[in-house]
Amino acid sequence: MKDVQFGELPFLKYDHAVETCVYSPDGTSFAVLSGGNINVHATSNWDRTWILSGHSESVFSIAYSPNGDRIVSGSLECTVRVWDVATGDCLYIFSGHNREVYSVVYSPQSNLVASLSGDGTVRLWDLEAACCHSIISGCGSIYGMAFSLKWDTIALGSGDCRVRLWDVGAGEVRSILIGHTTSVLTIEYSIQGDLLISKDFNSVVKVWEVETGACRHTLEGDYCSVLSPKGNQIAFYGNRSGRNEVELWDVETGVCVRRLPGYKEQIHSAAYSPQGDQIVTGGAKAVQLWDVETGECRQTMTGHTGSVDKILFSPKGDYIASASEDKTVRLWNVGPGFSRKVSKHHSGPVMHLKYAPTRNQVASCSEDSTVRLWDAGTGICSRILTGHSGNVYTTSYSPQEDRLVSCSSDNTVRLWDVESGACLHILTGHIRTVIDVEFSPNGDQLASVSDKTVRLWNVNTGECQHLLIGHSESVWTVTYSPQGDQVASAGWDGTIRLWDVVIGDCQHSLKGHSKGISRVVYSPNGNQIASVSGDKTVRLWDVKAGICTHILIGHQGGVTRVVYSSRGHHVASASLGDKTVRLWDTESGECRHTLVGHEMDITAIAYSPRGNFLASWSDTGEGRLWDVATGECLWNLKHDGSTQSADYFLSHSFVWMSPDVDSFIAGDGCGSVRRWDVIKEGDQHRVCMRWRSTSGQLTLDGACVQDVQGLSDLNKRLLKQRGATGEPNLRLREASTKVMTMASVVSKFKSSSSNTEALNSPSTSPAIFLTSDSEQQTQQATCSGRLEN
């Protein structure tokens, strides 16, 4: 059973490509147009209740009445039909057009139906009298129409580049809006009815004031557009610019306020949620859900094998339906407690983490070119910062926590506003990958390293203040002294250089290592520096004198990580070669403890804020927690098979949180970010996962649903579609309203335990969910294979 996605429902399969689909206004009914037939489903269990057949030619358009009890359809055979949703009966057949009817729409009061035909006319049909109410003609070819909220007016877009407002009662044109230079193809009223939005063949959108007829804005966007429910925003999509992104434009100001990137293929469809806070887009095969305010991609839904040509939310906004040329409609639950509580992790290895205690926020950066901001308490990703075009290696908060800096293999440093997510400056000048970047202690300066140089930047202006040249090989690390008057840099030439940040002069060149230096750190009081090297040693240096005071020998392989304890009495070092951590006394140089047990390369070490614990971590997901006083291993997490980053040497995906709690956050090579809590129980300690970002998918080997208890027919069908064995009832007569917990799916499977994410799920839903509150500890699930999420 492969790639079952959380919140996914069974898909609907048809014999022909799906042309369109639509929810009834109350959400209890769902109509799908495929192969000339109208398939009506009850959304309580997704049974197909009726197939509405009768048109002798292709059906081009369908629409529900405002109360949802009827469906109207227009066809190639030039007729309009009205159907009873409850009985499936055809109530009316309206004839009169002499060419195909390619659009139909109900008036808001349900008393009229408008049909638009290739014969150049719009006909209004009176449903009470069962006859033609009026014929609108003389406007040339009409391509778009929309009823006003009061239904007394119908707006028409035509081939003569004009928008006409037709008075339904008087049967005449009330006003003509002139301004387009090509055929007007689509037209739509705002929800308040005071604005009219029209779009022409050249993708020019005009926003009109209905009362005065004045054009408020002219927007030039992409091929396709959709208006938000509140009428305050327009989304453009379609790849006209070649950027494969969605642009969100403010209707009031006429300004593009946000771009949603991330597509490799053309976007074919888009829709706003009823609340207007989310937008869903469909591409070549995938569906993506976006947060309108932050621009974050909340979820990527896969499964289609053809382009997604129609996508829509349910009226309450808790479900998404996507229709594809692959002859299926796929359904997902994205209601409260799911999409807003589950944050998708990075699509590449996590390279670095930083914690902002005042905000209780964590920043992560990844090889997927993004920086993500996470609420450390809930695990919700509040923002995704996009703009880098290469791997992002390091990120850091300013001391005030109002700004964030990141560096990348695209040779740039970016400075971000934490609150808005806006990129304040793009710092250019380095000619190769920027490996490390750091704020000065007072936050007014940045230091970055690349190739053989160090650059110091003015944070406010983005200007390079100093270019520090002196290293003969690549520089790998840079750090400010606690006082902020000095930076230390080190790299492959085996030397450490101490620079004056005001004048840019080199104050000391510390030599002694026989191989490249991977890390250098200042002691808390700034009087000492610790450096580690491929020569298997740790060296301690007197900053003022510029001399080496201790050479710490003991590691059997190159040393790559080093960190001081909070008081500076001890220093910890880790080696990739021997996979050990050593704790050293900084006064005597004595090795206090050698911590052994790691099976994988150690990519991060860190003292807890109170100094009683030391954590060691691998980006393969292996972790250990050590008692600093005794050297005892208090907790061990076996590596979970996460792929190790190709740049693991640069990775440091681990950070402790505030001193008030013993909690830490770690990332891995698969892009996941997790929070863990250290809990003391008597003399023992246990570590529990609080939350984890998710990929939103489930994979199980050898899943069987034959005898699973408490599993609805709907969920059986979903699991069966995805490869589970067993013989569930394929005829969905009744759908259970019970939640299918993960325990009920896997209770019949054999052994093998795996941690699951701490996620929320609603109390009633036919969809598949992992359960537990995001504030609770991780539950255990049992399965006969692997659990991927």
Side-chain angles (χ1 to χ4, degrees):
M1 189 174 70
K2 182 176 177 58
D3 295 340
V4 178
Q5 298 169 80
F6 301 122
E8 182 182 4
L9 276 69
F11 59 80
L12 310 177
K13 180 70 175 177
Y14 303 94
D15 294 331
H16 302 277
V18 178
E19 293 142 39
T20 192
C21 55
V22 61
Y23 273 98
S24 64
D26 63 2
T28 61
S29 177
F30 184 76
V32 178
L33 179 59
S34 175
N37 294 325
I38 304 166
N39 301 268
V40 182
H41 298 261
T43 58
S44 58
N45 56 13
W46 293 98
D47 263 346
R48 183 162 52 188
T49 55
W50 303 108
I51 300 177
L52 308 181
S53 301
H55 287 290
S56 60
E57 300 286 350
S58 298
V59 179
F60 290 141
S61 179
I62 57 175
Y64 275 94
S65 62
N67 62 12
D69 62 342
R70 295 180 179 181
I71 291 175
V72 62
S73 58
S75 169
L76 178 63
E77 66 181 11
C78 311
T79 65
V80 176
R81 289 178 180 249
V82 178
W83 310 83
D84 187 297
V85 173
T87 65
D89 294 334
C90 181
L91 303 177
Y92 306 107
I93 302 175
F94 294 126
S95 302
H97 288 295
N98 55 40
R99 285 192 62 183
E100 69 279 0
V101 178
Y102 54 80
S103 182
V104 290
V105 62
Y106 263 93
S107 68
Q109 282 68 30
S110 298
N111 60 329
L112 294 176
V113 164
S115 59
L116 193 161
S117 170
D119 61 14
T121 68
V122 171
R123 288 179 177 252
L124 303 181
W125 307 93
D126 188 317
L127 297 183
E128 295 179 359
C131 66
C132 182
H133 174 279
S134 57
I135 302 173
I136 304 173
S137 61
C139 305
S141 298
I142 302 174
Y143 296 111
M145 62 179 180
F147 272 105
S148 65
L149 296 184
K150 297 179 180 178
W151 81 268
D152 59 338
T153 304
I154 186 168
L156 307 169
S158 63
D160 63 2
C161 313
R162 299 183 178 186
V163 176
R164 291 174 172 83
L165 303 185
W166 182 273
D167 189 308
V168 173
E172 62 184 15
V173 174
R174 178 181 296 175
S175 60
I176 301 176
L177 310 181
I178 300 175
H180 286 288
T181 58
T182 57
S183 299
V184 181
L185 303 182
T186 62
I187 198 158
E188 189 173 1
Y189 279 94
S190 66
I191 193 170
Q192 296 84 5
D194 59 334
L195 298 177
L196 189 69
I197 291 86
S198 59
K199 184 176 181 181
D200 65 24
F201 181 79
N202 286 339
S203 303
V204 174
V205 172
K206 289 186 175 289
V207 180
W208 309 89
E209 294 180 359
V210 173
E211 188 67 28
T212 65
C215 180
R216 179 178 293 184
H217 296 296
T218 298
L219 314 176
E220 295 189 22
D222 221 318
Y223 289 125
C224 304
S225 64
V226 59
L227 182 68
S228 68
K230 296 179 181 179
N232 62 331
Q233 195 176 79
I234 296 176
F236 287 100
Y237 62 95
N239 195 31
R240 182 181 185 182
S241 63
R243 289 194 298 263
N244 294 320
E245 61 186 10
V246 179
E247 293 182 342
L248 306 183
W249 291 71
D250 186 277
V251 171
E252 285 294 322
T253 63
V255 174
C256 179
V257 295
R258 191 170 299 282
R259 288 182 172 87
L260 311 179
Y263 275 88
K264 296 181 180 179
E265 304 291 341
Q266 183 175 343
I267 303 168
H268 296 279
S269 53
Y272 279 93
S273 65
Q275 299 79 16
D277 60 338
Q278 297 186 97
I279 188 170
V280 63
T281 54
K285 295 179 182 178
V287 173
Q288 288 188 286
L289 180 65
W290 305 83
D291 186 290
V292 169
E293 180 64 26
T294 66
E296 175 197 358
C297 180
R298 284 294 192 183
Q299 191 177 351
T300 298
M301 295 158 273
T302 59
H304 282 297
T305 58
S307 65
V308 180
D309 298 323
K310 175 70 175 180
I311 197 162
L312 68 160
F313 278 92
S314 63
K316 293 182 180 179
D318 51 352
Y319 288 88
I320 287 173
S322 58
S324 169
E325 64 181 16
D326 65 8
K327 306 178 184 179
T328 68
V329 173
R330 290 185 178 265
L331 308 161
W332 288 275
N333 185 313
V334 292
F338 183 76
S339 66
R340 290 172 176 81
K341 294 298 182 184
V342 180
S343 291
K344 187 179 178 184
H345 58 50
H346 288 283
S347 59
V350 179
M351 297 303 297
H352 199 257
L353 295 171
K354 276 291 184 179
Y355 177 68
T358 302
R359 291 179 175 272
N360 195 30
Q361 186 181 79
V362 171
S364 63
C365 62
S366 166
E367 289 186 1
D368 66 4
S369 305
T370 70
V371 178
R372 295 177 184 242
L373 306 183
W374 308 83
D375 185 299
T378 65
I380 296 174
C381 180
S382 59
R383 288 198 183 279
I384 300 179
L385 309 182
T386 59
H388 282 297
S389 58
N391 300 345
V392 185
Y393 289 119
T394 307
T395 187
S396 180
Y397 285 94
S398 65
Q400 298 79 16
E401 299 182 9
D402 59 337
R403 296 180 180 182
L404 189 80
V405 66
S406 58
C407 63
S408 168
S409 61
D410 63 9
N411 306 346
T412 69
V413 174
R414 285 181 176 250
L415 187 64
W416 311 87
D417 181 89
V418 174
E419 193 65 34
S420 67
C423 181
L424 303 176
H425 295 293
I426 303 174
L427 311 182
T428 60
H430 288 296
I431 60 174
R432 293 185 181 177
T433 295
V434 186
I435 295 172
D436 198 11
V437 66
E438 185 174 307
F439 272 99
S440 63
N442 63 11
D444 64 345
Q445 191 180 71
L446 292 170
S448 61
V449 296
S450 172
D451 42 72
K452 302 175 185 180
T453 67
V454 179
R455 286 178 179 259
L456 304 183
W457 309 85
N458 184 297
V459 169
N460 293 322
T461 66
E463 295 179 355
C464 180
Q465 295 175 314
H466 296 291
L467 174 60
L468 310 181
I469 300 175
H471 286 284
S472 59
E473 298 290 342
S474 297
V475 186
W476 281 80
T477 181
V478 66
T479 185
Y480 278 90
S481 65
Q483 296 77 20
D485 59 340
Q486 189 181 76
V487 291
S489 61
W492 272 172
D493 63 3
T495 67
I496 303 166
R497 287 182 173 264
L498 307 184
W499 309 86
D500 185 293
V501 300
V502 177
I503 62 177
D505 284 350
C506 181
Q507 298 172 320
H508 292 291
S509 180
L510 311 181
K511 299 180 180 180
H513 285 294
S514 60
K515 290 188 177 180
I517 300 171
S518 55
R519 289 290 188 279
V520 59
V521 292
Y522 281 91
S523 64
N525 62 15
N527 294 330
Q528 191 180 72
I529 284 178
S531 60
V532 292
S533 167
D535 64 10
K536 306 179 185 179
T537 68
V538 181
R539 287 179 178 252
L540 304 182
W541 309 83
D542 184 291
V543 172
K544 187 175 181 180
I547 60 173
C548 179
T549 58
H550 293 289
I551 303 175
L552 311 181
I553 300 174
H555 283 294
Q556 301 304 305
V559 191
T560 56
R561 301 292 182 268
V562 64
V563 61
Y564 275 94
S565 63
S566 57
R567 292 190 298 171
H569 295 168
H570 301 109
V571 68
S573 60
S575 168
L576 285 179
D578 61 19
K579 298 181 177 61
T580 68
V581 177
R582 288 178 176 258
L583 307 185
W584 311 85
D585 186 289
T586 56
E587 287 293 327
S588 65
E590 175 190 357
C591 180
R592 302 290 298 274
H593 298 290
T594 300
L595 312 181
V596 180
H598 272 280
E599 298 176 358
M600 309 301 291
D601 293 330
I602 302 169
T603 57
I605 55 173
Y607 280 96
S608 63
R610 286 182 277 195
N612 53 330
F613 300 127
L614 181 84
S616 52
W617 189 260
S618 167
D619 65 359
T620 61
E622 181 187 24
R624 286 179 176 262
L625 185 69
W626 310 88
D627 186 301
V628 171
T630 66
E632 176 188 0
C633 182
L634 304 175
W635 172 76
N636 175 27
L637 177 68
K638 295 289 186 180
H639 70 91
D640 57 11
S642 297
T643 303
Q644 190 164 46
S645 164
D647 293 319
Y648 66 91
F649 186 79
L650 301 175
S651 173
H652 198 281
S653 54
F654 184 96
V655 65
W656 285 93
M657 292 174 58
S658 67
D660 300 331
V661 292
D662 285 323
S663 299
F664 59 85
I665 296 175
D668 62 32
C670 287
S672 177
V673 177
R674 289 176 278 183
R675 171 180 167 175
W676 303 84
D677 293 339
V678 182
I679 301 171
K680 186 175 182 180
E681 296 176 341
D683 295 332
Q684 303 296 316
H685 292 84
R686 63 186 179 92
V687 180
C688 297
M689 186 167 66
R690 171 71 67 86
W691 55 257
R692 177 183 182 180
S693 61
T694 177
S695 68
Q697 294 187 346
L698 170 70
T699 297
L700 293 172
D701 291 336
C704 177
V705 296
Q706 180 70 53
D707 300 316
V708 175
Q709 302 298 314
L711 185 61
S712 70
D713 282 342
L714 196 64
N715 278 317
K716 285 183 181 179
R717 183 182 176 189
L718 168 64
L719 299 177
K720 185 73 173 178
Q721 283 178 342
R722 288 309 186 96
T725 61
E727 296 299 329
N729 184 1
L730 296 179
R731 170 63 179 167
L732 302 180
R733 298 186 180 91
E734 294 182 1
S736 170
T737 59
K738 296 180 180 179
V739 173
M740 187 208 73
T741 66
M742 183 54 61
S744 69
V745 178
V746 301
S747 61
K748 300 299 179 182
F749 301 159
K750 298 178 181 179
S751 66
S752 180
S753 172
S754 176
N755 286 326
T756 63
E757 280 72 2
L759 307 177
N760 288 337
S761 64
S763 58
T764 59
S765 170
I768 176 172
F769 290 98
L770 289 180
T771 61
S772 77
D773 190 273
S774 64
E775 294 298 322
Q776 294 175 345
Q777 299 161 5
T778 303
Q779 298 180 2
Q780 298 290 322
T782 304
C783 60
S784 63
R786 68 185 189 280
L787 177 66
E788 295 178 355
N789 43 331

